[in-house]
């Protein structure tokens, strides 16, 4: 059976978790606590980069969430979560990349920076730009690139659904708000959504990681 190494606080791991659940793929979950588990020899042999998620399927290892999602789509094609029409497929890929490159860094800024700081203000302005762009990408379809759930919805959904916890009102973006409501009606999303308390714990982890990385960068100067 496929093994899934994850932690529920990890947005990247939740991408894969949702894909497994939405596709109804049987799997064995292995919790990686991220308080040292990722440095244990057993895990390092699976992923020398100490990151989650990882899946091991019939002895085949895949790291990096987007690669894992593509692998699951290719091996378990039903239900299909990637459209075949060129423009629709490009929309899916574009939304995935814009979410990862433009939205998530701003979410990290909102978590780490003080609420009234210039950095937080710039982050909110950029998030508005991203949400306007994603509204256009969604168009009149129920999901990104399709009338059925796609891999883009999973990637974007994890980011966008976290925004109300950071003071961003999704009702200002009508189409995205309605889309987010459709996502949250799905059992897999209800199962994997972080509670308010869990989101606060996630924010604490993010602050710790950002501080460690900034300290390390300063040491290397």
């Amino acid at each position: 059976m496929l093994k899934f190494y994850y932690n529920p606080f990890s947005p990247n791991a939740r991408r894969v978790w949702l894909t497994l659940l939405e596709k109804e793929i049987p799997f064995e979950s292995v919790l990686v606590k991220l308080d040292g588990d990722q440095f244990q020899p057993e895990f390092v042999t699976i992923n020398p980069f100490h990151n989650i998620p990882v899946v091991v399927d019939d002895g085949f290892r895949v790291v990096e969430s987007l690669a894992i999602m593509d692998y699951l789509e290719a091996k378990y094609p039903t239900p299909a979560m990637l459209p075949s029409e060129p423009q629709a497929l490009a929309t899916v890929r574009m939304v995935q990349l814009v979410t990862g490159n433009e939205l998530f860094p701003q979410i990290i800024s909102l978590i780490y920076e003080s609420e009234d700081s210039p950095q937080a203000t710039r982050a909110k302005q950029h998030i508005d730009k991203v949400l306007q762009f994603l509204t256009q990408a969604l168009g009149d379809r129920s999901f990104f690139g399709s009338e059925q759930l796609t891999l883009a919805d999973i990637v974007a959904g994890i980011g966008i659904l976290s925004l109300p916890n950071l003071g961003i009102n999704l009702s200002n973006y009508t189409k995205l708000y309605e889309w987010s409501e459709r996502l949250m009606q799905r059992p897999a999303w209800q199962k994997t959504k972080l509670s308010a308390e869990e989101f606060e714990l996630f924010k604490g982890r993010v602050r710790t990681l950002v501080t460690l990385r900034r300290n390390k960068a300063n040491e290397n100067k």
Side-chain angles (χ1 to χ4, degrees):
M1 181 181 292
L2 181 148
K3 279 192 174 182
F4 170 46
Y5 294 81
Y6 84 115
N7 187 290
F9 291 121
S10 164
N12 288 349
R14 285 170 55 224
R15 294 175 178 177
V16 175
W17 192 8
L18 279 163
T19 305
L20 289 166
L21 293 174
E22 289 285 1
K23 285 183 167 290
E24 299 184 344
I25 300 169
F27 65 94
E28 174 188 347
S29 59
V30 181
L31 179 65
V32 181
K33 294 181 181 177
L34 301 179
D35 58 0
D37 283 3
Q38 70 271 37
F39 300 109
Q40 295 301 314
E42 179 183 358
F43 186 75
V44 173
T45 61
I46 298 168
N47 187 355
F49 308 112
H50 317 295
N51 297 325
I52 53 171
V54 183
V55 300
V56 180
D57 189 21
D58 292 330
F60 180 67
R61 172 194 62 184
V62 193
V63 304
E64 299 295 340
S65 61
L66 295 181
I68 295 171
M69 293 167 75
D70 281 348
Y71 171 75
L72 296 175
E73 174 68 13
K75 185 169 182 181
Y76 305 93
T78 304
M81 298 179 73
L82 278 180
S84 58
E85 192 275 322
Q87 292 186 4
L89 179 59
T91 296
V92 169
R93 295 305 193 200
M94 179 175 65
V95 168
Q96 288 179 314
L97 292 170
V98 167
T99 300
N101 295 333
E102 303 295 340
L103 180 59
F104 268 104
Q106 308 309 320
I107 290 174
I108 299 302
S109 291
L110 285 187
I111 291 173
Y112 186 79
E113 306 292 348
S114 60
E115 186 176 351
D116 56 353
S117 68
Q119 294 91 337
T121 299
R122 287 194 294 269
K124 289 178 181 178
Q125 291 170 345
H126 197 79
I127 287 171
D128 176 69
K129 183 188 300 184
V130 172
L131 295 181
Q132 298 287 359
F133 181 87
L134 292 178
T135 296
Q136 294 176 5
L138 181 63
D140 294 325
R141 288 179 165 173
S142 298
F143 300 99
F144 285 107
S146 178
E147 292 302 321
Q148 307 299 322
L149 187 80
T150 70
L151 298 181
D153 299 296
I154 290 177
V155 174
I158 290 172
I160 292 174
L161 287 170
S162 71
L163 294 176
N165 290 316
L166 298 170
I168 305 295
N169 189 349
L170 291 183
S171 63
N172 294 331
Y173 308 89
T174 303
K175 287 186 177 181
L176 289 181
Y177 177 78
E178 293 171 350
W179 163 83
S180 70
E181 290 291 296
R182 284 193 290 275
L183 292 183
M184 286 312 302
Q185 291 171 8
R186 304 176 72 91
W189 292 77
Q190 295 171 15
K191 181 174 182 177
T192 59
K193 185 178 187 295
L194 295 181
S195 67
E197 294 78 11
E198 289 171 330
F199 192 79
E200 287 302 311
L201 291 173
F202 165 69
K203 287 165 63 177
R205 288 174 180 262
V206 168
R207 293 186 185 110
T208 298
L209 285 173
V210 172
T211 299
L212 289 172
R213 289 175 181 173
R214 289 188 177 184
N215 290 342
K216 186 174 182 180
N218 290 332
E219 289 173 2
N220 293 332
K221 286 183 179 179

